[in-house]
Amino acid sequence: MDFKIAVIGLGYVGLPLAVEFGKKFPTVGYDISESRVVELNSGLDTTLEATSDELASANQLRFTTTPSEIESCNIFIVTVPTPIDGSNTPDLSPVISATHLVGKYLNKNDVIIYESTVYPGATEEVCVPILEQVSSLRFNIDFFCGYSPERINPGDKTRRLTNILKVTSGSTPAIATRVDELYQSIITAGTHKASSIKVAEAAKVIENTQRDINIALVNELALIFNRVGIDTEEVLEAAGTKWNFLPFRPGLVGGHCIGVDPYYLVHKAETLGYHPQLISAGRRINDNMGHFVVSEVVKLMASKKINIVDSRILMLGLTFKENCPDLRNTRVVEMIYELTNTYNAKVDVFDPWVDKQEAHALYNLNLIGQPDNGHYDAIIVAVSHDQFKKLGIEGIKVFGKENFVLYDIKYLFSSSDVDGRL
């Protein structure tokens, strides 16, 4: 089969995929954002997942916002976001919208592969009926589906698309093989062919659910050790001397996967009459860590007789993780809002990785270009960017007033150098 590929969605997941396929096959990268397509056509990727040279190397790839340009394709790969709403309920509207789009241009024997994170059963229960309705074609007779969960790690320049083993699946044994062979053509690390689409969907959500629960455990330990009056990092280092102790650390859990995917599994379980206990408890613990940090900072300020009202607080970092510009589901925002709205503090946010216009558009935040020396009553190290590591403890302390609080969420500095840390 001659593959003609359409990648629907050109974000952190879709762009690297389109680039790799565009080196080997005719590929159309489609996105609804005109500004995104304009920047990619100019050789720029603001997510920093692809360099200008990598974009140029995909000589069979073209970018577009015109839906009809995917009409000639026979492989459609959907890589749109799957967020949650304000009630932590899965929001499948981007996937549903992309499915309607693909359905309009579906022809016989075409294959639609979903990479977006969903709950087990979503592809066949939600997407397939839409494809059948819009295209007037029959599933597994006229068209086929596959699922291959994304494993992109934003900002990671070592573990990238081609050297991360890829799980694949298909709606029939023959299609599963075709999908697997397609990905084998670009994934040097190899593939793992799952027995069904549901198995592949489930594998994706539990990858991040497992990590979420492990982080929730150490977050709860941090809450306990804070009350005991001992340093969590010291305890974890001591326990880590045992060969099979897992090296997780406490912190804020945000991003497009770990803080979201467990809710998809919880949602599916509850529709089947089972109410997950451990998964839900882990989510509650992790979602509350920002509030805990704020309460600790306020207590430390009170102990130093610093009035929280109208105080100046510096938040170092806004992204959901270090050394990448990704702002999706960052939990730093919740701390900023609480300090501002509940305690009437004035918070300056400094993050050299973040596009200021995007931060304003997403969270109505105006980032500063550079903190002023001797200006702040409290400093919170929220993200462990290399730039903050390079500043060092003394380089960060100069931003504080003579009497100020320094709280380190990311364990960048020793406990003796800061007033508090998780």
Side-chain angles (χ1 to χ4, degrees):
M1 179 179 182
D2 292 327
F3 295 123
K4 297 179 181 178
I5 299 168
V7 177
I8 314 298
L10 297 173
Y12 285 86
V13 174
L15 179 63
L17 200 65
V19 168
E20 292 303 322
F21 279 128
K23 296 174 183 178
K24 293 179 176 290
F25 309 107
T27 302
V28 178
Y30 171 84
D31 201 283
I32 60 174
S33 170
E34 187 169 335
S35 61
R36 176 65 168 160
V37 169
V38 167
E39 75 171 44
L40 292 174
N41 278 326
S42 71
L44 174 66
D45 170 31
T46 53
T47 70
L48 306 181
E49 292 302 305
T51 65
S52 296
D53 288 344
E54 287 169 334
L55 290 172
S57 68
N59 55 12
Q60 298 188 67
L61 170 63
R62 70 181 192 275
F63 301 110
T64 185
T65 57
T66 305
S68 60
E69 291 198 34
I70 70 172
E71 187 172 10
S72 62
C73 298
N74 50 32
I75 300 286
F76 301 88
I77 305 177
V78 176
T79 60
V80 297
T82 43
I84 51 176
D85 63 18
S87 302
N88 294 327
T89 301
D91 178 9
L92 291 175
S93 58
V95 167
I96 290 171
S97 178
T99 300
H100 274 280
L101 171 70
V102 171
K104 294 177 183 178
Y105 300 103
L106 212 54
N107 293 304
K108 283 194 173 184
N109 297 317
D110 287 353
V111 179
I112 307 93
I113 303 168
Y114 290 88
E115 291 213 5
S116 304
T117 301
V118 292
Y119 52 77
T123 298
E124 290 154 300
E125 295 164 11
V126 176
C127 300
V128 164
I130 295 171
L131 292 168
E132 288 188 317
Q133 179 186 11
V134 175
S135 70
S136 298
L137 299 174
R138 296 164 296 173
F139 178 52
N140 279 344
I141 297 174
D142 300 318
F143 72 90
F144 307 89
C145 284
Y147 186 83
S148 181
E150 60 90 3
R151 281 177 167 170
I152 295 295
N153 187 28
D156 192 334
K157 301 307 178 186
T158 303
R159 289 177 290 267
R160 307 194 69 190
L161 172 67
T162 58
N163 59 20
I164 301 174
L165 195 141
K166 199 87 161 71
V167 174
T168 66
S169 65
S171 55
T172 70
I175 293 301
T177 298
R178 186 188 302 177
V179 171
D180 195 65
E181 290 174 348
L182 173 66
Y183 281 102
Q184 282 183 14
S185 70
I186 63 167
I187 306 295
T188 57
T191 59
H192 174 92
K193 185 165 63 173
S195 63
S196 69
I197 287 176
K198 283 184 181 179
V199 167
E201 291 169 327
K204 171 57 180 175
V205 288
I206 72 164
E207 287 175 16
N208 290 313
T209 298
Q210 181 188 69
R211 184 165 174 79
D212 191 44
I213 290 172
N214 278 316
I215 298 172
L217 172 61
V218 294
N219 273 337
E220 188 162 56
L221 293 175
L223 299 177
I224 295 170
F225 297 148
N226 175 265
R227 286 160 174 79
V228 174
I230 54 179
D231 185 71
T232 302
E233 176 74 356
E234 289 186 26
V235 176
L236 293 174
E237 286 178 353
T241 60
K242 189 181 181 187
W243 69 91
N244 60 352
F245 187 82
L246 300 178
F248 286 92
R249 290 295 182 269
L252 307 178
V253 182
H256 67 300
C257 285
I258 300 176
V260 174
D261 294 0
Y263 287 118
Y264 276 75
L265 191 55
V266 167
H267 170 79
K268 180 62 177 180
E270 289 180 341
T271 65
L272 299 173
Y274 179 76
H275 300 279
Q277 304 300 308
L278 181 60
I279 298 171
S280 298
R283 280 280 75 235
R284 286 193 297 272
I285 291 169
N286 287 341
D287 280 349
N288 194 51
M289 292 309 291
H291 173 71
F292 171 75
V293 169
V294 169
S295 66
E296 288 298 294
V297 170
V298 171
K299 289 176 187 176
L300 288 166
M301 292 176 70
S303 72
K304 289 192 171 189
K305 298 182 180 181
I306 302 171
N307 188 2
I308 182 67
V309 176
D310 291 329
S311 63
R312 302 303 302 251
I313 298 178
L314 175 62
M315 191 71 69
L316 290 176
L318 181 63
T319 61
F320 91 90
K321 65 177 290 189
E322 67 278 358
N323 301 328
C324 82
D326 197 344
L327 290 173
R328 291 174 296 174
N329 194 34
T330 173
R331 309 320 291 250
V332 179
V333 168
E334 295 167 358
M335 295 191 296
I336 297 168
Y337 290 166
E338 184 173 358
L339 286 165
T340 303
N341 299 328
T342 303
Y343 292 102
N344 293 308
K346 298 176 181 177
V347 181
D348 285 347
V349 185
F350 175 60
D351 193 320
W353 283 86
V354 169
D355 180 277
K356 293 180 181 179
Q357 290 182 328
E358 183 183 7
H360 187 270
L362 287 176
Y363 301 115
N364 197 31
L365 294 174
N366 296 311
L367 272 63
I368 62 172
Q370 179 66 32
D372 292 327
N373 291 350
H375 191 67
Y376 297 99
D377 299 292
I379 301 172
I380 301 174
V381 182
V383 187
S384 56
H385 291 318
D386 285 346
Q387 288 91 332
F388 301 154
K389 294 178 183 178
K390 187 176 180 180
L391 280 174
I393 186 66
E394 296 305 323
I396 286 176
K397 280 185 173 181
V398 298
F399 301 137
K401 295 178 180 178
E402 184 175 348
N403 182 33
F404 77 103
V405 166
L406 177 55
Y407 195 94
D408 182 11
I409 294 176
K410 300 301 292 186
Y411 291 89
L412 254 60
F413 311 109
S414 68
S415 58
S416 61
D417 286 330
V418 299
D419 297 293
R421 59 182 191 170
L422 278 179

